[in-house]
C-alpha cells in the first residue's frame, strides 16, 4: 500500500516533468500538506475517511494553484528554485503551527469506515481501496496525456517558443498541469496518512522531493509505467535494506541510481521501450 501511494506520487510528478518539462524541487510540500489536512480532519474533527481524502486532495490543489501562480512565471532552474523555496516555507509552517504536532507529527489517525460501510481497519479492504485509486489515477493520467490538452503539453515540453507562436497560452497550460500534478500528489499524501495512520515532517521535507525525482528518472521519465517501476524499486529497496544495512541504505540507493543513470540513460522502462523499437526497426 505504501509503494502504491508513492507510485501515485511519482506519476503525478511525471505528469509535470515528463510531459510538461517542468522540474519541481518542492513537490513533497503538496503531498505532506494534504497528509496533515487529512490526518487532522479524520482524527481531531471526526470526519469520515472519504471526506478527509477529498479535503486533503483539494487542499493540495488549492495550494498548488497559489504556488503555481508565482512559480509559473519563471522557467528552467529558476522555476525549480522557486518551488523549492515555497516548499521550505510550507515545511516551516508545518513545523510551527500547533495542530500538526511539530516534530512529533500527527499520530493515531484512525482509518474508520469508507462510506460508513467498508471497514478500512481490515488491511485487505484498505489494500483494494488503494489499488482502485491507483488504477483510477493511472488511467486518468493516460487519458490526460493522450487528449488534445496533453498534446499541447508535449509541444510545450519540446519547443515552448514554437507553441507560443502557434497561439497557445503557454502559461495557462503549464499552470493547469502544475495544479493537476499537485492535486494528485495531495491524493497520494492523504491516502498514505489513512494507510499508515500518521503524518510527519518527513512528508513535507525537501528530501522527499528528491526521492520522487529519483523514482521518476530511475523508472523512466516521460513513460507511463516508469514512475510506478521507480517507486516500487526505491520503496522496495528501502524496506528490504533498512533492517540489514541501517543508514547505509541511502548510500546503496544512491549508488544504484548512479549506475542506472550511466547504464540506462532513459530509465528502466524507457530503455525497454527503446530496445523494442530497435527490434521492430530491424
Amino acid at each position: 500500500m505504501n509503494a502504491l501511494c508513492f507510485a501515485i506520487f511519482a506519476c503525478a510528478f511525471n505528469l509535470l516533468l515528463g510531459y510538461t518539462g517542468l522540474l519541481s524541487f518542492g513537490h513533497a510540500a503538496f503531498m505532506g500538506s494534504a497528509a496533515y489536512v487529512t490526518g487532522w480532519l479524520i482524527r481531531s474533527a471526526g470526519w469520515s475517511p472519504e471526506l478527509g481524502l477529498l479535503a486533503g486532495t483539494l487542499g493540495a490543489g488549492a495550494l498548488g494553484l497559489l504556488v503555481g501562480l508565482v512559480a509559473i512565471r519563471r522557467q528552467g532552474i529558476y522555476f525549480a528554485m522557486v518551488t523549492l523555496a515555497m516548499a521550505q516555507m510550507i515545511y516551516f509552517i508545518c513545523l510551527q503551527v500547533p495542530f500538526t504536532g511539530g516534530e512529533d507529527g500527527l499520530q493515531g489517525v484512525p482509518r474508520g469506515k469508507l462510506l460508513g460501510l467498508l471497514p478500512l481497519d481490515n488491511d485487505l479492504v484498505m489494500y483494494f481501496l488503494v489499488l482502485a485509486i491507483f488504477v483510477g489515477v493511472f488511467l486518468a493520467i493516460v487519458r490526460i496525456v493522450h487528449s488534445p490538452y496533453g498534446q499541447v503539453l508535449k509541444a510545450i515540453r519540446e519547443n515552448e517558443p514554437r507553441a507560443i507562436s502557434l497561439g497557445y497560452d503557454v502559461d495557462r497550460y503549464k499552470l493547469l498541469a502544475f495544479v493537476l500534478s499537485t492535486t494528485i500528489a495531495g491524493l497520494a499524501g492523504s491516502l498514505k496518512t489513512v494507510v499508515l495512520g500518521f503524518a510527519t515532517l518527513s512528508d513535507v521535507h525537501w528530501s522527499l522531493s528528491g526521492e520522487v525525482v529519483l523514482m521518476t528518472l530511475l523508472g523512466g521519465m516521460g513513460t507511463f509505467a516508469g514512475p510506478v517501476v521507480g517507486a516500487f524499486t526505491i520503496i522496495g529497496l528501502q524496506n528490504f535494506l533498512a533492517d540489514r544495512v541501517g543508514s547505509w541504505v541511502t548510500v546503496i540507493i544512491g549508488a544504484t541510481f548512479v549506475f542506472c543513470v550511466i547504464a540506462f540513460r532513459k530509465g528502466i522502462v524507457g530503455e525497454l521501450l527503446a530496445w523494442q523499437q530497435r527490434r521492430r526497426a530491424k
Side-chain angles (χ1 to χ4, degrees):
M1 288 187 281
N2 192 35
L4 284 171
C5 291
F6 275 100
I8 294 173
F9 185 33
C11 287
F13 182 79
N14 186 52
L15 177 63
L16 187 66
L17 177 62
Y19 294 105
T20 314
L22 296 175
L23 174 59
S24 169
F25 277 146
H27 243 50
F30 309 106
M31 183 179 186
S33 59
Y36 275 117
V37 169
T38 299
W40 185 84
L41 289 175
I42 294 176
R43 191 193 71 170
S44 301
W47 285 32
S48 62
E50 64 273 9
L51 290 179
L53 287 170
L54 180 62
T57 303
L58 294 179
L63 183 61
L65 177 61
L66 294 176
V67 173
L69 287 172
V70 177
I72 215 71
R73 302 172 184 273
R74 298 292 178 262
Q75 296 179 352
I77 192 63
Y78 302 104
F79 174 85
M81 291 298 100
V82 170
T83 57
L84 178 60
M86 299 294 284
Q88 285 300 97
M89 291 174 57
I90 294 169
Y91 171 82
F92 284 111
I93 290 173
C94 291
L95 179 62
Q96 297 296 329
V97 295
F99 81 91
T100 61
E103 294 182 354
D104 295 328
L106 282 174
Q107 306 291 334
V109 178
R111 290 183 180 178
K113 291 186 177 181
L114 184 66
L115 302 175
L117 299 173
L118 298 176
L120 298 182
D121 289 334
N122 186 318
D123 283 341
L124 191 61
V125 175
M126 188 72 234
Y127 169 76
F128 280 110
L129 172 64
V130 176
L131 181 62
I133 293 175
F134 165 74
V135 172
V137 168
F138 187 85
L139 294 177
I141 290 176
V142 171
R143 181 68 188 91
I144 290 170
V145 172
H146 285 147
S147 69
Y149 169 74
Q151 300 306 310
V152 175
L153 291 184
K154 291 181 182 179
I156 294 172
R157 178 194 64 190
E158 296 299 329
N159 194 325
E160 185 172 332
R162 181 175 294 177
I164 294 173
S165 70
L166 292 174
Y168 291 109
D169 188 347
V170 169
D171 285 345
R172 188 179 66 177
Y173 278 90
K174 291 195 296 185
L175 178 61
L176 180 55
F178 188 79
V179 173
L180 285 172
S181 179
T182 58
T183 301
I184 298 172
L187 175 60
S190 297
L191 199 58
K192 179 173 172 284
T193 297
V194 176
V195 168
L196 300 180
F198 59 83
T200 65
L201 285 174
S202 62
D203 295 330
V204 289
H205 197 260
W206 64 268
S207 61
L208 186 59
S209 298
E211 277 190 25
V212 76
V213 176
L214 174 60
M215 292 172 185
T216 305
L217 296 179
L218 183 63
M221 182 181 68
T223 64
F224 292 115
V228 181
V229 173
F232 271 81
T233 302
I234 297 300
I235 299 301
L237 281 173
Q238 288 176 346
N239 291 340
F240 179 76
L241 296 173
D243 296 335
R244 292 170 172 79
V245 297
S247 59
W248 281 90
V249 63
T250 306
V251 177
I252 294 174
I253 291 176
T256 303
F257 176 63
V258 171
F259 171 76
C260 289
V261 167
I262 294 174
F264 310 107
R265 296 293 298 273
K266 298 179 180 178
I268 298 171
V269 175
E271 288 294 339
L272 288 174
L273 292 175
W275 176 72
Q276 284 184 341
Q277 290 178 352
R278 288 195 298 268
R279 286 198 63 182
R280 288 173 184 171
K282 293 178 181 179

